Amino acid sequence: MLFNKFICHVYPASPAFLVPRLRRLWERAFAGCPAPSRSHSWKSVVGLEIHAQINSESKLFSSSRVQFAAPPNSTVSFFDASLPGTLPVINRRCIEAAVMTGLALNCAINKKSHFDRKHYFYADLPAGYQITQQRLPIAVNGKLTYCYQVGNKWSDIVTKCVRIKQVQLEQDSGKSLHDDTRHQTLIDLNRAGVGLVEIVMEPDMSCGEEAAAAVRELQLILQALGTSLANMAEGQMRVDANISVHRPGQPLGVRTEVKNLNSARFLAKAIDYEIQRQIKILENGGTILNETRSFDYKLGSTIAMRDKEGKQDYRFMPEPNLPPLVLYDSNSSPPANLDPEQVVNIDLIKESLPELPSVIRERLVDQYGILPEHSYTLVNEDGLQDYFQTVVKLAQIHPKKIIGWLIQDLLGHLRSHNLTVKQSPIKATSLAELLTLLENGDISSSTAKQVFQELCNGGKETPTQIVKEKNLWLLKDLMQVEEICQGIIDGHKEEVAAIRRGNLKVINKLIGLVQKNTKGKSDPVLVKKILEKKIL
């Protein structure tokens, strides 16, 4: 129906033989996209559970070291392997990291919290239960403010807030390694017992891009705090998404959980796919199962794993081998009968909180006079803020002139080559030198682009050396530039006549011809003034 309206409106005189071809192009362009009527008649609800690995040298309840990509089963204590008679000993660093995370997320910190056992039986969980905080977690009732883009322009951003239900400590499980060739599964317990902060978000989001934006903001906060490296590629931050759909005004629908998403991009795709999958099932008269699913990034779809466990299946019970965590602040005093390692001062942690991303963005706007959307790019792109500030310090030119080069030219090159800012072939010192040459009028803007491209290609010379070797200095002999302009005018009488008749856009063609004649060594602003003076 929608395709027929499109044909009648856009291609009313299309030959019959073109219609099937246009239909194929239409279907290819909108494959997987919901029909407009469908998206308006359903509401989607998304909540997240995020597990962030605590940045600590040792595990949550043992002294085993935490090391990414260590040889299998090389960082495992007797307690991690659940040998009889071993007992947990709390890691103070993990407590402080959880409190710091809770404070940064505007949570209320519980001065007394408990540990619980969550029972489930997998080969990579030797004890048959996970130590977590279910009844009384370390922090509750917070919020996370984030922004995301709703249009094609960076200025089209909206600010939203998601409620944080709780922040809790828990231990990680081991890892199952499946050998399909030998048809066997091996267990690596290096990860068993690693400290996690679980952040449970209320179902306040409605789409994949929104959820991805919230996760990116949380990732920046954790990295700023130093409580987690939050490297999703290394499994240091994993996301479970709870998704449901319902008709407006009706009760919430049955939810599914998509487990272990390890990138913000895959998170957005998994959520949006799952929303459309549920809508399609319901519109066809089916029912949604309360189940756990995984996301296959190659297929771009979610896949059923198992029925969803309920709380009754986990058989939560108090952890008998760990005393309560006791925290205090200026309004309370630490109990005298507890081990000092069990007592943490909330106020001292609050005083040590670093500058958070939202505060950094505001400071960048105030300090440098840049646009808010540019501050998001500087903060969100790892390493770009330091790069920018180094260029500003060395170049001594207005930051607004630097921003364009960073966002459009530098980031454009890095993203096209799948590089990070830290892998940039152009150092901040080189870009500062290049922009100084441009600002001082030593080179033209087209020459600056040419030198920038040479630096991107791995040139080892400095911008000044490149300009010297290729003699790219800006022509400053006014008489010489005027002679070249006059020659262009004399050779293009039709264009000159058009300009005199009022078609001023044609002058850009003449400017380009002057630039070509001078091999980009003339100042376009000066050339334009000379041409206008001579023609008009």
Side-chain angles (χ1 to χ4, degrees):
M1 180 70 72
L2 199 59
F3 170 77
N4 293 335
K5 290 182 178 179
F6 167 76
I7 288 293
C8 292
H9 179 71
V10 181
Y11 295 107
S14 298
F17 73 89
L18 277 181
V19 173
R21 186 177 301 175
L22 290 170
R23 180 180 290 277
R24 286 195 298 272
L25 291 172
W26 170 272
E27 291 173 348
R28 186 181 303 171
F30 292 95
C33 296
S37 60
R38 173 180 291 181
S39 60
H40 289 301
S41 59
W42 292 94
K43 291 189 69 175
S44 52
V45 178
V46 178
L48 302 178
E49 297 173 9
I50 300 167
H51 295 83
Q53 179 180 314
I54 296 172
N55 185 19
S56 172
E57 292 183 359
S58 56
K59 296 182 180 180
L60 182 57
F61 298 121
S62 77
S63 59
S64 296
R65 74 183 188 279
V66 177
Q67 180 183 346
F68 177 71
N73 295 309
S74 62
T75 61
V76 184
S77 70
F78 291 155
F79 174 79
D80 303 330
S82 302
L83 296 187
T86 56
L87 296 173
V89 179
I90 192 72
N91 181 342
R92 182 186 179 89
R93 158 62 184 165
C94 293
I95 301 173
E96 293 173 343
V99 172
M100 188 177 289
T101 301
L103 291 171
L105 295 175
N106 306 288
C107 292
I109 306 299
N110 287 322
K111 294 180 181 176
K112 187 176 184 179
S113 59
H114 299 282
F115 286 100
D116 304 286
R117 288 186 179 182
K118 177 183 179 181
H119 292 82
Y120 56 95
F121 299 97
Y122 293 139
D124 52 12
L125 192 70
Y129 61 84
Q130 178 190 41
I131 300 178
T132 182
Q133 292 185 309
Q134 172 65 24
R135 296 168 299 146
L136 192 59
I138 202 164
V140 294
N141 301 331
K143 65 177 182 178
L144 171 66
T145 302
Y146 60 96
C147 294
Y148 71 104
Q149 190 175 345
V150 295
N152 294 325
K153 298 179 181 178
W154 242 113
S155 55
D156 299 330
I157 56 175
V158 294
T159 301
K160 295 199 69 174
C161 183
V162 58
R163 293 170 295 156
I164 305 295
K165 180 181 179 182
Q166 63 191 60
V167 175
Q168 62 192 50
L169 278 167
E170 67 181 30
Q171 61 178 167
D172 206 347
S173 60
K175 185 178 181 181
S176 297
L177 305 173
H178 304 290
D179 186 345
D180 294 331
T181 303
R182 299 181 181 180
H183 304 290
Q184 61 183 3
T185 296
L186 305 175
I187 306 299
D188 180 8
L189 294 178
N190 281 346
R191 204 172 65 184
V194 169
L196 300 176
V197 170
E198 181 178 2
I199 298 136
V200 182
M201 295 181 178
E202 298 284 9
D204 295 338
M205 293 161 283
S206 60
C207 69
E209 189 54 45
E210 191 178 346
V215 167
R216 290 189 191 102
E217 186 68 13
L218 177 62
Q219 188 177 31
L220 290 173
I221 291 173
L222 295 176
Q223 290 169 343
L225 295 172
T227 55
S228 175
L229 298 179
N231 186 334
M232 298 185 77
E234 295 183 1
Q236 294 163 349
M237 186 170 171
R238 307 189 295 274
V239 185
D240 301 337
N242 294 294
I243 306 145
S244 69
V245 299
H246 65 281
R247 296 283 189 184
Q250 293 185 359
L252 297 181
V254 176
R255 69 179 183 180
T256 60
E257 182 181 31
V258 183
K259 295 282 287 186
N260 291 329
L261 296 158
N262 61 357
S263 93
R265 184 165 61 92
F266 291 159
L267 171 68
K269 289 185 175 182
I271 290 174
D272 290 339
Y273 173 86
E274 185 62 18
I275 289 171
Q276 297 307 317
R277 186 190 72 87
Q278 293 186 19
I279 291 173
K280 185 176 180 180
I281 289 174
L282 293 173
E283 288 190 339
N284 290 331
T287 57
I288 304 300
L289 300 178
N290 182 211
E291 62 183 355
T292 298
R293 303 178 68 86
S294 64
F295 179 67
D296 188 321
Y297 71 92
K298 293 180 180 178
L299 298 176
S301 60
T302 61
I303 300 171
M305 293 173 61
R306 59 181 181 270
D307 290 341
K308 177 68 179 164
E309 297 97 337
K311 289 184 179 179
Q312 68 279 3
D313 298 320
Y314 289 129
R315 293 184 294 111
F316 285 100
M317 61 170 282
E319 169 55 57
N321 296 322
L322 284 168
L325 289 181
V326 178
L327 313 177
Y328 75 100
D329 56 19
S330 57
N331 297 321
S332 59
S333 57
N337 59 339
L338 285 181
D339 183 347
E341 288 298 312
Q342 293 291 116
V343 181
V344 174
N345 188 327
I346 300 171
D347 289 336
L348 288 179
I349 294 177
K350 188 179 294 185
E351 292 170 4
S352 68
L353 287 178
E355 196 177 32
L356 295 178
S358 58
V359 178
I360 294 173
R361 294 187 189 104
E362 292 178 4
R363 176 175 57 78
L364 291 174
V365 171
D366 293 339
Q367 183 176 350
Y368 298 110
I370 61 177
L371 296 174
E373 53 265 30
H374 291 156
S375 72
Y376 276 91
T377 305
L378 291 179
V379 174
N380 291 16
E381 197 74 37
D382 186 30
L384 191 60
Q385 178 194 337
D386 292 336
Y387 191 105
F388 167 73
Q389 291 177 316
T390 300
V391 176
V392 169
K393 182 179 179 181
L394 295 175
Q396 296 295 317
I397 61 178
H398 199 285
K400 286 185 178 180
K401 296 182 179 180
I402 297 172
I403 279 290
W405 281 87
L406 257 63
I407 294 178
Q408 296 174 15
D409 297 278
L410 182 66
L411 277 186
H413 173 79
L414 296 179
R415 287 171 179 169
S416 65
H417 290 79
N418 199 26
L419 298 173
T420 65
V421 174
K422 294 177 181 177
Q423 296 171 323
S424 172
I426 305 180
K427 303 301 179 187
T429 52
S430 295
L431 184 59
E433 182 180 331
L434 176 62
L435 297 184
T436 300
L437 290 173
L438 179 61
E439 181 70 12
N440 292 341
D442 295 321
I443 59 175
S444 67
S445 57
S446 58
T447 297
K449 297 285 185 182
Q450 180 183 342
V451 175
F452 180 88
Q453 194 57 50
E454 290 209 22
L455 293 171
C456 286
N457 293 335
K460 296 182 179 180
E461 298 89 349
T462 66
T464 303
Q465 289 172 337
I466 294 173
V467 172
K468 281 183 178 179
E469 288 176 6
K470 300 196 172 184
N471 190 23
L472 299 174
W473 299 111
L474 195 68
L475 285 175
K476 294 187 177 181
D477 187 333
L478 184 59
M479 290 183 64
Q480 184 181 359
V481 177
E482 286 185 343
E483 288 179 5
I484 294 171
C485 289
Q486 187 61 54
I488 296 297
I489 291 172
D490 294 341
H492 297 81
K493 297 189 182 298
E494 290 185 7
E495 286 80 358
V496 172
I499 294 170
R500 287 173 176 164
R501 286 195 301 268
N503 189 357
L504 300 181
K505 290 184 179 179
V506 179
I507 202 168
N508 292 327
K509 178 180 179 181
L510 300 186
I511 294 172
L513 292 170
V514 174
Q515 286 289 85
K516 183 178 180 180
N517 185 283
T518 61
K519 297 180 180 179
K521 294 192 291 182
S522 56
D523 182 0
V525 177
L526 176 61
V527 169
K528 185 177 181 181
K529 287 180 180 179
I530 293 173
L531 290 173
E532 288 176 342
K533 182 179 178 181
K534 289 180 175 292
I535 295 172
L536 302 175

